[in-house]
Amino acid sequence: MRNAFAEEITTLAQTYSDIVLLAGDIGNRLFDRYKESIPERFYNCGVAEANMTGVASGLATNGLKAFTYTITPFNTCRCFEQIRLDICYPNLPVTIVGTGSGLSYAGLGATHHSMEDIGILRTIPNLQIICPADQSEVRLSLRAIYESNKPTYLRLGKKGEPKVHDNDPEFKIGQAIKLWGSGNIKILGVGNTVDLSIRCHNLLKNKGVDSEVFSFHTIKPLDDNLLNQIFNENCYCIVVEEHGLIGGVGSAILEWANDRGFETNKLMRFGGPDRFLSAVGSQESARDEIGLNAESISSKILNRMRSV
Amino acid sequence: MKNRNDLKKLSNLVRFEVLKMSHAANAPHLASSLSCVDIITVIYKKILNFNSENISCASRDRFILSKGHAATALYAMLNHLNILSREDILSYTKRGSLLEEHPNPKLPGVEAATGSLGHGLSVGCGIALSSKINKSNFETFVLLSDGECNEGSTWEAALFASAKKLNKLTAIVDFNKWQATGRSQKVLGLDPLVDKFHSFGWDVSEVDGHNHDELETCIKQKNKDKPSMVVAHTVKGKGVSFMEDDNNWHYRIPNQSELEKAKRELNIK
């Protein structure tokens, strides 16, 4: 995803002269093409994320659209207050780009995990939150964000994520993308777990159970139409995210459903536990440790279906 | 208003307005506002290039009151400039009023949401950088408190401004030697503040923060490669004898008789 981001932000910045890219001393060589073609609109802000966020705000007050880029926890948890006060309170078109989200950097240890970012950021008014599923969605979401002119958090994986879309889908902020399948089990994949959601769908299919998979790329604003359809039709709503269960996307949907008086016993949330993950090795083994794999999820879905 | 005495009179009027607002709204941070009144007076009357009838004009110089708790001093000056009305001032802290105890970015003349300390210099850096990118000519000024120099983000911004050669950025520290609960030197050892900013790559000058002529000269000095820092030595509670250098007035509210006494000292008719 990060390569797709670098390519697309370069193309966009070549087209639109109001884009400024700020990086927190990261992306060695990643932005070479950007820096060569538009050096006057690229700034390495050093390992000083709070200041980088404030600088982005200052740029935006004067008509520029700033993108801040660094590893997710440093660009979110570390500068929560700058995002809240410098960007969202005055409602400025700044995009916080977090790379290596969730457990992308599992092996680097809990310092580099981001299992809380959505939970804290979705509490801030005015902020859009977008989690693209693959390279294609990264490119499309960037364009949509640019046009939206709103404060945005863009949550990326790292690199080598499987392709979800063969062709570019229609991408609208706040509107999940239906991938394939049918039936009353709706699996909502979030960002880098869309591929995992597809594997769940395949496993269920092997057991004769139909399901429908979505790329649920926008966390704020939530896709009211899709959620209304799911809950009105009393479908299973399966949320799969590489984020802690506390405050995550499943949690947001649970709140959404409860606020509207829907039953939630067919809502299932899959994400991280309320503990720091240690010695987890690769992203895949980290997911295994917390049961975030197709076997575990599909089996829990089947169990729930038997008990409801 | 070019005359030295007129400027002094204006500072006293602003001071009395600050006192009245604190008294009427039962709102604190009085002494912090009083200490920076002379700086704000000089900034608005001698330095800033702006049109009060078109305060959002893109070519205007920018001023950020990073020590947002001194909002009443800013409000009183914006009222003097007819950017805020008399009615606005009377609405301070009331329900429905944008004149809160810290500047709301929706207010005309307010460039950034401040109040949480340590934000203004970074935002100022971004504004100064935008001026560079857009090849504009305006200047950016940021007023900090000494307590605010406790914040790590202030020093992140100090590094950034120097590294990116933001020569159209000027910061002023209202160095009144106090923060909310103690002497700033005792709390986190700010001295030597001038040397600190100098070593961070700024062009630094020191000034009596209540001397309008000196302030004007210092703030106007520019270095073509560096951001400028003016360390303005001030007295907390300046202008009212029984408030000067008494940190109780960080939170205390003046009663009616104290207000009257202050009025006489400020020579307000």
Side-chain angles (χ1 to χ4, degrees), chain B residues 61-105:
Chain B
D61 288 341
R62 270 65 164 181
F63 171 69
I64 296 175
L65 179 70
S66 191
K67 47 172 292 183
H69 55 292
T72 50
L74 176 67
Y75 297 158
M77 179 53 70
L78 293 177
N79 173 231
H80 164 76
L81 297 165
N82 290 322
I83 294 165
L84 293 180
S85 67
R86 193 72 223 146
E87 206 177 19
D88 289 330
I89 295 294
L90 294 173
S91 76
Y92 173 58
T93 75
K94 292 205 169 99
R95 188 175 184 175
S97 171
L98 285 175
L99 275 75
E100 296 164 336
E101 287 185 44
H102 297 95
N104 185 316

Side-chain angles (χ1 to χ4, degrees), chain B residues 180-201:
Chain B
T181 62
R183 285 279 180 204
S184 48
Q185 174 60 11
K186 206 169 176 186
V187 176
L188 279 184
L190 282 187
D191 285 337
L193 193 56
V194 170
D195 292 351
K196 282 191 172 85
F197 281 114
H198 187 71
S199 69
F200 271 62

Side-chain angles (χ1 to χ4, degrees), chain A residues 18 47 53 108 180 199 240:
Chain A
D18 56 356
V47 193
T53 312
L108 275 68
W180 55 72
R199 279 184 274 137
V240 185

Side-chain angles (χ1 to χ4, degrees), chain A residues 44 51 55 62 81 86 89, chain B residues 62 116 119 122 130 156-157 164:
Chain A
N44 184 347
N51 178 63
V55 166
N62 198 24
E81 194 185 67
D86 300 348
Y89 182 27
Chain B
R62 270 65 164 181
S116 174
H119 288 250
S122 295
S130 75
E156 288 185 7
K164 308 305 174 195

